[in-house]
Amino acid sequence: MTRQAPKPDRRIFDPHIHMTSRTTDDYAAMYESGVRALVEPSFWLGQPRTSPATFYDYFDALLGWEPYRAAQYGIAHHCTLALNPKEANDPRCTPVLDELPRYLLKDGVVAVGEIGYDSMTPAEDTALAAQLQLALDHDLPALVHTPHRDKAAGLARTLDVLRESGLPPERVVLDHLNETTVGAAADSGCWLGFSIYPDTKMDPDRMVRILRVHGTGRVLVNSAADWGHSDPLKTSHVADAMLAAGFDEDDVDQVLWRNPVAFYGQSGRLSLDVAPAGERGQQLHEGNSILRGGE
Amino acid sequence: MLTPLASLRTGLELQLTAESRAWLHRALAEAADVRGDVSAAGLPRWELHFVTAGRKCHPVPRDCATSDPVDAARVLILHAAAPGTETLTRLYTRGTGDERRAVLLALPHLDPPPDTAAALALVEDALRTNDTRLIAAALGPYAAAHLSAHQWRQGVLKCLFTGVPTAAVAGLEHRAAGDDELARMLEDYARERTAAGRTVPEDLGHLLKLARFEETAESEETEEREAR
């Protein structure tokens, strides 16, 4: 696929990306590609954690240091907080569920997430149901991860728990969908999330085929870039692929900006004003780096 | 003359929308209420207002806002609630960047004042970060009055390193005047920058004059006479 230069007014909202694992070069490249806002869901860090306090430090970083870093590159940063499904299985970590109500009050939190299933265990059932209740209590939407293994069965079980929770489907995004799960997810009335990866999950051209069939409404496209093989510019690649396939700039703006704004805007906590690029230079130390204390 | 807090409140009320003003009045009334009713998530109601101020406190759109209304609202809430040192520390250590900044800004206004060692621990924590908003807030009047000479000099130098204008440092002229150790650190830093082929921060020259006692009222008068 040939890359087109992005239109200068293209604006992209990456609704799912783990910036904690990314560099300032990524922030600069994302800004260059049109990214002006993103949501960073709390998730597994690759290395299992062994105590609740390390989660709180992580949550604090998602509410302090990371938004500061993003702002220096002209990008508005919000987050979703939760005990992730994988670590919900470790009883040393589950006390996080008791502390979450305080964290979910914070201004930068726009959803409960990522919640959902990893291995579909009873502990994951408990954490998912408890955190859907927290979303209801805090008037927040929910970002629901669908499992990588046994995906279709995992989605079916997720939809059962969602129905029991009473959380309205328009306040839920089902993430990491693909061709085999998009039908059932669309029927549920939930928002449809797609993660575009270099090798796994979805790719830009398959994404375009799904957009042709299901339309551009209720769809969120993300890079889900993290510490693994992933690419924070995949959102702009999807924009290019959409244009090449005959979608117009307004369709691109709907999928890559207006849809995530509409979904996370349900929290009432989105704040999208960040200093424009022209004013960023003066915030940068040595012109090209995060401000640092000379270490 | 208005006290700094009274003028902060007046300035804030003038900036806010009617709805936000009503929120502020409610928040301050509940913060001052010693019964301390508990709200959602087991927090006292005033803490809920402190945490959610960013989405409740909206200024009337204007071309230029003079100060951050959310910071001002949080400082006023803290003053009204008069939290103990333990609560203050918890609000800081489990706060967002914005909440931490508000705790730092509130330190000189709290009545009764917080335990000095515990409050300085928060200031020093903020000075260890690389978040320029926290560094600037940490070097307010509380640090000017209480921070040790060594930590204060490190803070001033960190401003130069991170691009925080030294105008943000409270009591700068008073504390820097005649500080030989600060002067030495500034000269060393200027030498390091020059050796690397980099520019010396603009603020450094003025600061050095202060520390070397060269910038006094007398010398300014002399300069003025010479300029004429």
Side-chain angles (χ1 to χ4, degrees), chain A:
Chain A
M1 185 181 66
T2 52
R3 295 287 315 282
Q4 303 168 7
K7 285 187 56 143
D9 59 349
R10 176 182 290 173
R11 50 182 188 173
I12 293 176
F13 186 136
D14 192 333
H16 182 155
I17 182 166
H18 302 283
M19 293 311 296
T20 302
S21 307
R22 310 300 308 192
T23 64
T24 51
D25 280 358
D26 287 332
Y27 269 124
M30 288 162 68
Y31 184 87
E32 194 64 28
S33 79
V35 176
R36 295 292 179 272
L38 60 83
V39 166
E40 175 157 8
S42 62
F43 202 57
W44 188 52
L45 289 176
Q47 174 72 30
R49 284 168 281 208
T50 59
S51 74
T54 67
F55 280 84
Y56 309 148
D57 291 337
Y58 174 57
F59 295 163
D60 290 337
L62 297 184
L63 294 163
W65 177 238
E66 207 54 51
Y68 174 74
R69 232 161 63 97
Q72 286 184 84
Y73 291 86
I75 296 175
H77 181 290
H78 295 83
C79 68
T80 77
L81 298 182
L83 173 63
N84 63 76
K86 201 185 284 263
E87 288 173 297
N89 290 301
D90 187 334
R92 292 173 300 181
C93 300
T94 48
V96 171
L97 291 172
D98 302 326
E99 191 66 18
L100 268 171
R102 286 183 181 216
Y103 272 102
L104 294 177
L105 295 170
K106 305 285 189 186
D107 279 332
V109 180
V110 291
V112 175
E114 296 180 54
I115 51 177
Y117 284 115
D118 178 58
S119 300
M120 291 189 273
T121 64
E124 291 174 25
D125 284 328
T126 305
L128 176 55
Q131 294 184 98
L132 288 170
Q133 184 60 47
L134 286 177
L136 276 168
D137 294 345
H138 287 76
D139 208 15
L140 284 170
L143 168 58
V144 179
H145 160 104
T146 57
H148 303 306
R149 303 174 304 278
D150 202 8
K151 205 179 213 20
L155 175 65
R157 186 151 157 187
T158 302
L159 291 175
D160 287 343
V161 178
L162 279 172
R163 268 188 296 274
E164 283 168 25
S165 77
L167 194 62
E170 65 271 17
R171 294 179 74 82
V172 175
V173 58
L174 298 166
D175 213 347
H176 315 313
L177 297 175
N178 60 25
E179 290 85 350
T180 65
T181 49
V182 62
D187 291 344
S188 73
C190 294
W191 285 74
L192 312 176
F194 297 90
S195 302
I196 316 300
Y197 259 37
D199 298 324
T200 59
K201 298 188 172 81
M202 292 291 293
D203 69 36
D205 293 328
R206 286 165 51 213
M207 187 65 237
V208 166
R209 285 199 288 277
I210 285 183
L211 286 169
R212 281 214 180 104
V213 174
H214 288 273
T216 52
R218 271 201 300 134
V219 171
L220 303 183
V221 172
N222 62 67
S223 73
D226 57 11
W227 32 255
H229 185 41
S230 51
D231 179 355
L233 302 185
K234 280 296 178 205
T235 47
S236 76
H237 297 178
V238 168
D240 294 340
M242 284 177 72
L243 293 177
F247 286 98
D248 64 20
E249 290 285 355
D250 189 66
D251 297 323
V252 170
D253 191 66
Q254 182 191 1
V255 172
L256 290 167
W257 184 266
R258 299 199 303 272
N259 283 354
V261 169
F263 178 72
Y264 288 118
Q266 296 180 91
S267 68
R269 304 186 200 174
L270 265 190
S271 168
L272 296 173
D273 12 306
V274 158
E279 292 169 30
R280 286 183 303 134
Q282 64 197 21
Q283 295 177 298
L284 295 180
H285 184 58
E286 306 291 3
N288 62 357
S289 151
I290 197 83
L291 295 161
R292 61 176 71 246
E295 291 92 324

Side-chain angles (χ1 to χ4, degrees), chain B residues 61-82:
Chain B
R62 282 209 190 89
D63 287 343
C64 60
T66 46
S67 62
D68 186 333
V70 180
D71 280 354
R74 285 195 168 117
V75 168
L76 290 167
I77 290 170
L78 283 177
H79 173 260

